[in-house]
Amino acid sequence: MLRSIIAGLAALFAASGALAQDAVKVGLILPLTGPFTAIGKQVEAGVRLYQHQHGNTVAGKRIEVIVRDDTANADTTRRIAQELVVNEKVNILAGFGLTPLALSAAPIATQAKTPLVVMAAGTSIITERSPYVVRTSFTLAQSAHIMAEWAAKNGIKRAVTLVTDYAPGHDAEKSFVDRFKTLGGQVIESLRVPLQNPDFAPFLQRAADAKPDALYVFVPAGQTAIAMKQYVERGLDKTGMKLIGPGDIVDDDVLNGYGDAALGAITAHMYSAAHPSAKNKAYVEAFKKANPGMRPNFMSVGGYDGMHLIYEALKKTGGNADGDSLIAAMKGMAWESPRGPISIDPQTRDIVQNIYMRRVERLGGELYNVEFATFEAIKDPVKAMAAK
Ligand code: DHB
């Protein structure tokens, strides 16, 4: 009797071991409720589309994505990451809709030696917080310094900056201001709006009262529609002041809702739904079909490309999901994304990508960010400067 129970238990363990071996688990942590739901929805849609197109099996392993909602609360992100690593035994952590959420989970990636794929957040320091962090989104600094160069060369002499008062806003402000001033530009005022329950109106009014040539704005995805509504309510689109910034403010997901007020806005960014490549045309079409009523934005490609990175790394390791092996496989990987050619910098594990200058135009009844200049293979300039 005892012998048969032991034999039965042994068989059970063997079976569960085999099952565990056959699956690679990805813990996808995103804000799926609360004020930043829009970010989570776009990233998740990108992840799902990739799986829909490429199947659920790689190198003989079934890819199991476990989705959890952190409501954009950093303590919750950390608790979920811990729980996914300890109880679910995930092989990879992914997602991370905002910088504080990515930062709170990074120590868990280090302790557990678990790759952490940042698909959305954009502050430069995130990849430095753990040797297991890899990024498929962007850094604000990548586009901010290119925006500053365009402004300085295109008749903008006096600018006001308005950013959300947390790490990516500080990066967006600093990179723009430093570069713009170096090139002879003048920054009259630098305004910072709180992250929680923001009221943009008084800041926008103050910016307009300073009568700059351009207003440089960074507001995180999820809050841009409110900012633009208040911008239009105050008639700021009619003052002659140019709206510029990283592309968050003209997010493809919500841009159509702005109407003519957004026409002519100039931004520097890594993704446009209007990017003129065959790969992107197919991506936009498939995304819209799978998600009626949505248009893919820059967050969605972070999710889509993050899954590509995971799939291709597993192919390279022959299905070995050990953290160090996966990170080694991810370093230096290069491929064509819907946004254009991208790669993972083997030194920093951060993304290298084209940054495009774009102008909001109406095309076939819809508003789009139409690209008019390309800056190729841009590394995060904050890390590039530190390395010099
Ligand atoms: C973050 C950065 C963004 O550019 C954005 O649109 C939303 C969030 C972030 O890093 O928190």
Side-chain angles (χ1 to χ4, degrees):
M1 175 70 183
L2 188 61
R3 192 174 291 169
S4 72
I5 290 175
I6 291 171
L9 281 177
L12 199 67
F13 279 130
S16 67
L19 270 183
Q21 254 178 19
D22 286 337
V24 171
K25 291 187 176 183
V26 180
L28 183 64
I29 312 176
L30 291 167
L32 292 165
T33 55
F36 294 99
T37 303
I39 296 178
K41 271 182 72 177
Q42 283 276 341
V43 174
E44 187 184 4
V47 167
R48 298 252 184 251
L49 180 58
Y50 191 87
Q51 290 211 288
H52 177 70
Q53 292 175 336
H54 296 86
N56 291 328
T57 309
V58 178
K61 300 289 167 91
R62 191 166 43 80
I63 310 296
E64 191 183 323
V65 177
I66 303 171
V67 182
R68 292 275 197 277
D69 175 15
D70 63 10
T71 72
N73 176 303
D75 292 335
T76 309
T77 315
R78 187 195 299 259
R79 184 177 51 68
I80 293 173
Q82 183 84 36
E83 193 259 330
L84 285 172
V85 164
V86 174
N87 297 343
E88 296 286 348
K89 311 251 180 305
V90 297
N91 306 94
I92 297 157
L93 291 164
F96 307 100
L98 290 104
T99 291
L101 314 178
L103 293 178
S104 85
I108 293 169
T110 307
Q111 280 162 24
K113 299 185 187 296
T114 302
L116 186 160
V117 180
V118 176
M119 295 172 159
T123 303
S124 290
I125 50 162
I126 295 173
T127 46
E128 290 167 350
R129 289 299 170 89
S130 166
Y132 292 90
V133 171
V134 183
R135 172 156 35 205
T136 56
S137 47
F138 54 88
T139 74
L140 271 311
Q142 275 179 325
S143 48
H145 80 288
I146 288 174
M147 188 67 244
E149 286 176 19
W150 183 89
K153 283 185 199 144
N154 286 274
I156 291 168
K157 298 195 165 53
R158 301 164 75 249
V160 169
T161 63
L162 189 163
V163 302
T164 297
D165 192 3
Y166 77 127
H170 301 165
D171 274 9
E173 179 192 279
K174 185 175 182 345
S175 286
F176 177 82
V177 169
D178 287 357
R179 192 80 194 114
F180 189 57
K181 281 187 176 165
T182 304
L183 297 171
Q186 188 191 347
V187 177
I188 316 167
E189 270 199 276
S190 285
L191 306 170
R192 293 181 173 186
V193 187
L195 176 64
Q196 304 297 339
N197 307 312
D199 179 9
F200 297 98
F203 296 94
L204 288 166
Q205 195 56 54
R206 189 156 160 187
D209 291 347
K211 298 200 181 342
D213 301 320
L215 174 59
Y216 171 90
V217 179
F218 165 75
V219 172
Q223 291 188 339
T224 51
I226 315 166
M228 278 303 283
K229 185 167 173 281
Q230 296 186 335
Y231 177 88
V232 177
E233 276 169 3
R234 261 153 202 79
L236 264 54
D237 54 316
K238 300 193 176 68
T239 58
M241 169 177 81
K242 201 142 201 62
L243 182 63
I244 63 172
D248 308 68
I249 190 71
V250 285
D251 170 349
D252 285 305
D253 197 10
V254 291
L255 179 60
N256 269 317
Y258 299 170
D260 288 352
L263 285 173
I266 302 273
T267 54
H269 211 45
M270 36 50 98
Y271 178 70
S272 164
H275 179 63
S277 71
K279 180 118 193 160
N280 187 49
K281 285 203 176 91
Y283 176 72
V284 173
E285 198 177 292
F287 186 99
K288 284 181 166 175
K289 196 165 160 219
N291 304 280
M294 279 169 82
R295 190 162 73 170
N297 73 1
F298 62 106
M299 291 296 182
S300 78
V301 289
Y304 189 81
D305 290 326
M307 283 314 278
H308 181 89
L309 180 68
I310 292 168
Y311 274 46
E312 291 301 312
L314 279 165
K315 279 187 199 167
K316 259 171 101 173
T317 64
N320 176 3
D322 157 70
D324 288 303
S325 308
L326 283 178
I327 290 290
M330 289 174 178
K331 286 181 180 174
M333 201 172 271
W335 68 100
E336 191 197 351
S337 155
R339 67 187 106 169
I342 64 176
S343 66
I344 301 297
D345 184 335
Q347 268 81 46
T348 63
R349 290 160 279 101
D350 218 334
I351 186 157
V352 182
Q353 59 192 334
N354 293 350
I355 297 295
Y356 308 90
M357 289 303 309
R358 313 99 47 84
R359 182 184 295 104
V360 175
E361 290 175 18
R362 199 173 276 286
L363 291 183
E366 283 193 50
L367 294 179
Y368 280 100
N369 292 291
V370 177
E371 296 169 358
F372 61 85
T374 303
F375 295 81
E376 285 178 9
I378 301 295
K379 288 189 179 190
D380 176 36
V382 175
K383 288 184 213 52
M385 291 227 299
K388 268 186 194 157

